[in-house]
Amino acid sequence: MGLYTNAFLFAGVGYLSFMVSLLFEPVQRNLVFLYRLRLGSKETLYHPESAGFAQNQVAPFWITMPDGVKLFGWHILPLDVYAAHKEELRARSATLDAIDSGELAEGHLEILKNDPDARVMIYFHGNSGCISSMHRPDIYRSLISTSPAHTHLFVVDYRGFGISSGTPTEDALISDGAVTAKTILNMTAVSPDRTILIGQSLGTGVIIGAADLLAQSDSKLEFRGLVPIAGFASIEELLSTYKIFGIIPVLAPFRRFKALEKLFSRQLQYKFHSDVRIERFVRNSRRTKVLVVHSFDDEQIPYFHGEKLAEAAIKGAVESEADGASQSSGGLLKRFVEMSDDDRSGVFDVVSVGDLQAREYVFWQKFGGITEVVEDYVELVDESTVSPVSEVRRIGMLAVKWGGHNIVPKSTDVVLAIRNILYED
């Protein structure tokens, strides 16, 4: 009996010590970003063939941030493009000097610029590791399958990750994300309306924050789409249920002790309020399509976080149509789903992608037009009393039955949904 008691006390003291350590910024930084968990190697980063890509299908490159930090990335060619230029690409030098000087990357960019139908996807990964780690190369291969002839994929490591220099912080990653997106637009000469931002897990906080930052600084910069996959409403809310390595709870044991929970929340340095940012982004944006993707069986970030992001995006659209009038966001998605087909016609659709696989909820935001806010939700009004619709913007949520946290980005249903955003009007 004494052995069990001592073990329990030891575990309790250890847990409390761990929680006290979380009040300090360096510990929080390592917990949120896990950037010191080095998965992958410099060899794999400089030679993507070791991750399963064809010889010189991928061109590594560097981007320099305004503060001098250098970020390492990959430009991945679509398969049909690679096949058409295979001999030329295989003959190119892929030495460290050719990569670091940008010579190899310039050749890939020249191929892209010669394709008038080229599309660009910019992808930001989750925490820990680097762009070549674990399941990530498989995700990239799935994403470029959206169009083997035209879809070019750019992936970039965050500061402090892989061989990128610097130290990660929330503000730095969001700023870097914005700079990276604009730099890639300039590098490729592909217009923003043919460019889509995709993020998974931590990457959702980066792309939402970057899109929000760019929308505030340049209202004319409109991307084709914004796709957060397996994202969170905020780190603050996520930690209330999160378990490190799926075992060690962070704030769950403190739910009964509100004072302690509030103390930790006040001390939290990295909050990533993506729900607030995506709402503001949608309100300030006009054409960028939004698709929130989440799996029902995501054990790391529960499904309700995806719902909250979709709710916030729809609220931003509703407020935009109501000239910024403050509305309650609670339950908007549920209200739309529960409305009759006639009531939501032209405003909200429930599209069954496959009864056993996925379902997509789509809110149609109409500018110039036929919708207004009534009792916290949108309903149709007499079209004869308003001006004609000039623009329609899709804001959707794809709810996937399987895929968990890391497999869902390479789900065929998800890839097809991204393809629709990228290539369909």
Side-chain angles (χ1 to χ4, degrees), residues 397-419:
M397 178 177 183
L398 182 63
V400 184
K401 190 167 186 179
W402 295 289
H405 190 66
N406 292 319
I407 296 177
V408 67
K410 53 187 177 182
S411 158
T412 299
D413 289 321
V414 174
V415 173
L416 285 173
I418 293 173
R419 176 188 170 86

Side-chain angles (χ1 to χ4, degrees), residues 6 71 98 161 170 205 230 264 268 279 283 295 321 353 419:
N6 290 337
L71 306 184
F161 286 67
E170 178 178 355
F264 183 81
L268 185 61
E279 178 188 330
R283 194 164 59 241
S295 172
E321 293 189 14
V353 179
R419 176 188 170 86

Side-chain angles (χ1 to χ4, degrees), residues 4-109:
Y4 289 111
T5 300
N6 290 337
F8 179 78
L9 289 173
F10 180 78
V13 170
Y15 178 73
L16 288 174
S17 299
F18 168 72
M19 290 306 299
V20 170
S21 73
L22 289 182
L23 297 175
F24 299 94
E25 187 276 335
V27 178
Q28 292 181 23
R29 184 183 347 117
N30 280 277
L31 172 63
V32 170
F33 302 113
L34 291 177
Y35 68 108
R36 295 191 185 279
L37 188 56
R38 304 286 184 179
L39 303 172
S41 65
K42 184 175 181 179
E43 176 69 19
T44 304
L45 288 166
Y46 271 97
H47 299 288
E49 293 81 5
S50 60
F53 293 101
Q55 183 181 351
N56 288 346
Q57 180 187 0
V58 179
F61 64 92
W62 291 93
I63 294 179
T64 303
M65 296 296 103
D67 62 356
V69 166
K70 287 192 169 185
L71 306 184
F72 186 83
W74 284 352
H75 172 191
I76 305 172
L77 294 177
L79 285 178
D80 285 1
V81 172
Y82 179 80
H85 298 83
K86 182 171 62 176
E87 299 306 321
E88 170 194 346
L89 288 166
R90 289 184 173 180
R92 288 180 179 170
S93 171
T95 63
L96 295 186
D97 287 341
I99 291 171
D100 288 340
S101 68
E103 179 184 340
L104 183 62
E106 282 298 324
H108 282 57
L109 286 172

Side-chain angles (χ1 to χ4, degrees), residues 176-226:
D176 289 350
V179 172
T180 295
K182 292 199 75 169
T183 300
I184 291 174
L185 288 176
N186 292 331
M187 285 167 47
T188 62
V190 173
S191 64
D193 65 356
R194 292 189 172 202
T195 302
I196 190 169
L197 302 179
I198 307 172
Q200 188 258 348
S201 194
L202 173 64
T204 64
V206 175
I207 64 164
I208 291 171
D212 176 42
L213 191 62
L214 289 170
Q216 293 180 70
S217 62
D218 183 359
S219 60
K220 294 181 180 179
L221 179 59
E222 293 272 12
F223 290 96
R224 182 74 173 186
L226 180 73

Side-chain angles (χ1 to χ4, degrees), residues 49-352:
E49 293 81 5
S50 60
F53 293 101
Q55 183 181 351
N56 288 346
Q57 180 187 0
V58 179
F61 64 92
W62 291 93
I63 294 179
T64 303
M65 296 296 103
D67 62 356
V69 166
K70 287 192 169 185
L71 306 184
F72 186 83
W74 284 352
H75 172 191
I76 305 172
L77 294 177
L79 285 178
D80 285 1
V81 172
Y82 179 80
H85 298 83
K86 182 171 62 176
E87 299 306 321
E88 170 194 346
L89 288 166
R90 289 184 173 180
R92 288 180 179 170
S93 171
T95 63
L96 295 186
D97 287 341
I99 291 171
D100 288 340
S101 68
E103 179 184 340
L104 183 62
E106 282 298 324
H108 282 57
L109 286 172
E110 183 179 350
I111 291 173
L112 183 155
K113 291 176 181 178
N114 287 331
D115 178 9
D117 296 318
R119 304 288 197 278
V120 166
M121 293 187 293
I122 306 173
Y123 181 88
F124 292 91
H125 61 73
N127 64 2
S128 79
C130 60
I131 55 176
S132 67
S133 298
M134 304 172 289
H135 50 275
R136 288 169 188 157
D138 288 339
I139 292 174
Y140 311 152
R141 279 185 279 271
S142 294
L143 290 175
I144 60 173
S145 71
T146 53
S147 172
H150 303 295
T151 304
H152 292 248
L153 178 64
F154 289 81
V155 295
V156 178
D157 259 331
Y158 310 118
R159 59 174 62 207
F161 286 67
I163 56 176
S164 294
S165 61
T167 301
T169 66
E170 178 178 355
D171 290 344
L173 262 61
I174 289 173
S175 176
D176 289 350
V179 172
T180 295
K182 292 199 75 169
T183 300
I184 291 174
L185 288 176
N186 292 331
M187 285 167 47
T188 62
V190 173
S191 64
D193 65 356
R194 292 189 172 202
T195 302
I196 190 169
L197 302 179
I198 307 172
Q200 188 258 348
S201 194
L202 173 64
T204 64
V206 175
I207 64 164
I208 291 171
D212 176 42
L213 191 62
L214 289 170
Q216 293 180 70
S217 62
D218 183 359
S219 60
K220 294 181 180 179
L221 179 59
E222 293 272 12
F223 290 96
R224 182 74 173 186
L226 180 73
V227 184
I229 303 174
F232 45 81
S234 70
I235 293 289
E236 194 172 13
E237 187 166 2
L238 175 61
L239 290 180
S240 66
T241 58
Y242 189 71
K243 294 181 179 180
I244 302 170
F245 304 120
I247 300 172
I248 306 171
V250 180
L251 288 184
F254 287 87
R255 287 179 190 169
R256 296 181 181 180
F257 307 99
K258 296 299 180 183
L260 289 175
E261 191 174 26
K262 288 181 180 178
L263 172 64
F264 183 81
S265 294
R266 284 198 301 269
Q267 295 296 319
L268 185 61
Q269 301 293 310
Y270 306 111
K271 299 188 178 182
F272 278 99
H273 278 292
S274 293
D275 50 355
V276 174
R277 287 172 174 148
I278 198 170
E279 178 188 330
R280 183 170 56 216
F281 166 72
V282 170
R283 194 164 59 241
N284 292 331
S285 168
R286 191 175 181 91
R287 291 191 295 274
T288 302
K289 303 173 185 178
V290 176
L291 177 67
V292 177
V293 178
H294 218 102
S295 172
F296 286 114
D297 66 350
D298 190 329
E299 295 184 354
Q300 295 187 45
I301 301 180
Y303 174 78
F304 75 83
H305 282 270
E307 285 188 314
K308 286 201 167 190
L309 288 177
E311 289 264 1
I314 293 173
K315 182 187 177 191
V318 168
E319 289 186 349
S320 175
E321 293 189 14
D323 297 324
S326 178
Q327 301 294 326
S328 169
S329 64
L332 269 176
L333 187 61
K334 182 180 179 182
R335 294 184 200 186
F336 280 127
V337 171
E338 292 178 348
M339 288 167 65
S340 68
D341 290 342
D342 289 341
D343 287 340
R344 67 183 182 218
S345 176
V347 176
F348 189 86
D349 289 329
V350 179
V351 183
S352 179

